[in-house]
């Protein structure tokens, strides 16, 4: 019997989940065993999983799970160097040249476990079967606008926190922008045709910001891209990979520019392919931006778990996308799981 173990997230400000109670019930009905760790932070209460028929286990008990259990979480594990003998489904951030990724892969190699990276669960055409992209773009554009509004008051963006739903976010942001007393900023979205860019553009539209929308055609020449500097906000919605051009080079800091906020929604500062090399470290909920230049200011927003600002909508959306693949966990040697394992073996 396939045993799926939903672990509690161990990262601060992470309330999302990749499996809803309804999804758990569907897997149980199919014959799977479902264990769910208790979690006071998960946006969906634990008792709803119990009502769905899942077995509730203690928080963070996954290291002691049966070896044949498949451990499922979203964000990274504690970076404690322990060996990883289980099969894990999660975002590993280890295959794109991230400097911390090698440590994670070594832990799997030493423990004999396997990583099924959620970013690399793809169909036969190489398209991801599930992604948080839309809500990352939506929340990332919102925080970037909060950062711009703070600049109008001579400040930097203060701490952010999760919202119960998107309507609460939109109300808060609209009031904050209106309080500046100035016209809405100009914005450019690169990757506007993808899920991330669509979310960013939709948020902008909800705030009466009409963005310039760029995608592959506009960036195919490889740069430079002086048009980016002519906007107040730049929202990068293209994930770093070999061949990704540099959108904002380091010399842009001292160049003549209107640009004062970069929302690096893709957030790959630890990658060799970072297309926004004016910063080198992700930002946090407590400090959402890092100021990389003064007079005129340039703030970079690079929170790497943006969908967590809207944990309810993002969890429901992602879980519904992923469930069809979870239903095939009894066939790990085929389909999306076999492709993900091959990617892992190539890198480990």
């Amino acid at each position: 019997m396939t045993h799926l173990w939903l672990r509690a997230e161990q990262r601060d400000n992470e309330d999302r989940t990749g499996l809803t109670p309804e999804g758990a019930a569907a897997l149980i009905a199919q014959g799977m065993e479902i264990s769910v760790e208790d979690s006071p932070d998960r946006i969906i209460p634990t008792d709803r999983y119990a009502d769905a028929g899942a077995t509730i286990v203690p928080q963070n008990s996954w290291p002691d799970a049966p070896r044949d259990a498949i451990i499922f979480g979203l964000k990274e594990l504690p970076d404690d160097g322990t060996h990883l003998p289980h099969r894990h489904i999660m975002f590993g951030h280890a295959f794109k040249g991230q400097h911390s990724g090698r440590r994670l892969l070594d832990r799997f190699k030493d423990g004999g476990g396997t990583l099924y990276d959620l970013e690399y669960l793809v169909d036969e055409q190489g398209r991801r079967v599930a992604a948080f992209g839309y809500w990352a773009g939506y929340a990332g554009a919102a925080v970037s606008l909060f950062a711009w509004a703070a600049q109008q008051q001579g400040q930097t963006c203060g701490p952010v926190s999760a919202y119960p739903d998107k309507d609460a976010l939109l109300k808060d942001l609209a009031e904050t922008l209106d309080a500046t007393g100035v016209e809405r900023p100009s914005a450019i979205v690169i990757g506007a045709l993808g899920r991330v860019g669509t979310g960013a553009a939709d948020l902008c539209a909800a705030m009466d910001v009409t963005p310039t929308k760029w995608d592959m055609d506009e960036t195919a020449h490889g740069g430079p891209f002086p048009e980016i500097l002519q906007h107040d906000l730049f929202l990068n919605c293209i994930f770093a990979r070999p061949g990704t051009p540099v959108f904002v080079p380091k010399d842009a800091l001292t160049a003549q520019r209107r640009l004062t906020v970069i929302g690096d929604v893709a957030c790959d500062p630890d990658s060799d392919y970072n297309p926004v090399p004016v910063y080198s470290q992700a930002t946090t909920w407590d400090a959402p931006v890092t100021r990389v230049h003064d007079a005129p200011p340039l703030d970079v927003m690079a929170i790497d778990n943006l969908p967590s600002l809207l944990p309810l909508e993002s969890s429901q959306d992602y879980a519904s996308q992923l469930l069809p693949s979870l239903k095939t966990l009894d066939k790990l040697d085929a389909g999306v799981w076999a492709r993900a394992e091959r990617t892992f073996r190539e890198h480990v």
Side-chain angles (χ1 to χ4, degrees):
M1 177 184 293
T2 301
H3 184 183
L4 183 64
W5 185 291
L6 181 66
R7 62 176 170 85
E9 299 295 329
Q10 294 177 257
R11 174 176 172 156
D12 291 340
N13 302 315
E14 186 52 81
D15 303 338
R16 294 175 296 166
T17 181
L19 181 68
T20 63
E22 294 78 11
L27 296 177
I28 292 168
Q30 188 176 294
M32 291 190 192
E33 179 181 357
I34 306 296
S35 297
V36 175
E37 291 188 358
D38 189 21
S39 172
D41 302 316
R42 190 184 293 121
I43 190 64
I44 300 174
T46 301
D47 58 10
R48 288 189 53 196
Y49 291 91
D51 293 342
T55 299
I56 307 304
V57 294
Q59 184 176 11
N60 302 331
S61 58
W62 62 265
D64 299 320
R67 287 295 175 90
D68 64 348
I70 302 170
I71 314 300
F72 176 30
L74 294 178
K75 299 303 289 185
E76 61 270 25
L77 302 172
D79 189 9
D80 57 12
T82 56
H83 296 177
L84 297 173
H86 291 95
R87 293 167 295 182
H88 283 257
I89 302 171
M90 66 177 182
F91 287 103
H93 304 297
F95 299 157
K96 294 190 295 184
Q98 292 99 328
H99 304 149
S100 60
R102 186 70 252 167
R103 293 196 302 274
L104 177 65
L105 293 178
D106 285 343
R107 292 171 66 190
F108 276 106
K109 183 177 180 180
D110 294 339
T114 302
L115 169 62
Y116 298 98
D117 195 305
L118 288 164
E119 190 174 345
Y120 292 85
L121 293 185
V122 297
D123 62 18
E124 293 178 352
Q125 287 73 45
R127 295 172 300 204
R128 290 175 62 177
V129 300
F132 281 104
Y134 180 87
W135 295 106
Y138 201 92
V143 179
S144 298
L145 283 169
F146 277 123
W148 177 85
Q151 289 178 345
Q152 308 318 300
Q153 310 287 353
Q155 302 170 359
T156 56
C157 187
V160 295
S161 59
Y163 288 86
D165 54 45
K166 73 171 185 177
D167 290 340
L169 167 63
L170 294 176
K171 181 177 184 294
D172 187 20
L173 180 55
E175 291 174 351
T176 300
L177 292 172
D178 290 345
T180 66
V182 299
E183 294 182 356
R184 295 293 199 256
S186 63
I188 181 170
V189 178
I190 296 186
L193 297 183
R195 282 183 275 205
V196 181
T198 299
D202 284 355
L203 183 283
C204 287
M207 290 296 106
D208 296 322
V209 174
T210 303
T212 300
K213 298 180 182 180
W214 277 15
D215 209 83
M216 294 180 65
D217 288 347
E218 293 82 2
T219 59
H221 63 83
F225 305 103
E227 299 91 341
I228 295 174
L229 304 186
Q230 297 166 11
H231 292 77
D232 296 302
L233 277 74
F234 162 45
L235 300 173
N236 174 43
C237 300
I238 294 179
F239 288 101
R241 65 194 70 185
T244 299
V246 172
F247 297 131
V248 182
K250 292 181 180 179
D251 60 12
L253 298 177
T254 54
Q256 184 175 357
R257 56 179 165 81
R258 181 172 176 175
L259 182 70
T260 61
V261 175
I262 297 173
D264 191 12
V265 181
C267 190
D268 276 309
D270 197 28
S271 170
D272 293 334
Y273 315 116
N274 180 12
V276 191
V278 297
Y279 81 109
S280 59
Q281 189 172 359
T283 59
T284 66
W285 289 40
D286 289 336
V289 301
T290 182
R291 179 150 294 180
V292 296
H293 195 267
D294 288 302
L298 183 58
D299 292 332
V300 179
M301 187 290 306
I303 296 173
D304 64 1
N305 63 334
L306 283 164
S308 296
L309 288 168
L310 293 169
L312 181 60
E313 287 93 346
S314 61
S315 293
Q316 292 172 335
D317 183 20
Y318 187 81
S320 67
Q321 297 176 54
L322 187 62
L323 184 59
S325 295
L326 293 178
K327 288 181 175 180
T328 67
L329 277 172
D330 58 340
K331 302 179 182 66
L332 285 174
D333 58 350
V336 295
W337 306 108
R339 286 187 284 272
E341 182 170 357
R342 282 197 297 271
T343 300
F344 166 70
R345 299 296 173 198
E346 290 168 2
H347 287 84
V348 76

